[in-house]
Amino acid sequence: MTTKQLEYEWSETPPSIAIIEAIASLENCPSTELGPTHGIVLSETIDPEALDRLVTTSESMSVVFSVDKYDVKLTETMLLIRAT
């Protein structure tokens, strides 16, 4: 099982961008190829703008969801992505 855990300052990096970049890294491809080549599209699972607002405006939170074959967990400072 492949896992990637990263620390972020969400005011500097939008969570939606961090998720796409982390999944692209696990898929060994540029983030621009995730949708066309791998069929992984974040917006088919969750509203990226709403996610960014939630994470950047919450003081204490944890968000968990799946994108394609990846489980995603976000906290105040951490992104965890695990291949299922």
Side-chain angles (χ1 to χ4, degrees):
M1 186 178 299
T2 306
T3 301
K4 187 173 258 302
Q5 182 172 335
L6 303 161
E7 297 291 321
Y8 282 97
E9 178 63 43
W10 296 125
S11 62
E12 297 173 13
T13 304
S16 59
I17 300 299
I19 292 166
I20 299 234
E21 289 175 352
I23 292 174
S25 172
L26 292 172
E27 291 285 324
N28 294 315
C29 75
S31 59
T32 55
E33 291 183 14
L34 271 185
T37 305
H38 299 273
I40 300 172
V41 180
L42 181 62
S43 62
E44 290 180 356
T45 302
I46 197 164
D47 180 336
E49 291 176 6
L51 177 66
D52 291 347
R53 277 192 308 274
L54 172 68
V55 173
T56 58
T57 60
S58 298
E59 290 183 23
S60 177
M61 62 86 204
S62 178
V63 178
V64 179
F65 59 95
S66 294
V67 177
D68 195 61
K69 62 183 177 186
Y70 295 98
D71 291 334
V72 177
K73 180 178 181 179
L74 295 160
T75 67
E76 297 87 10
T77 60
M78 188 255 324
L79 167 63
L80 175 69
I81 298 193
R82 180 173 299 149
T84 56

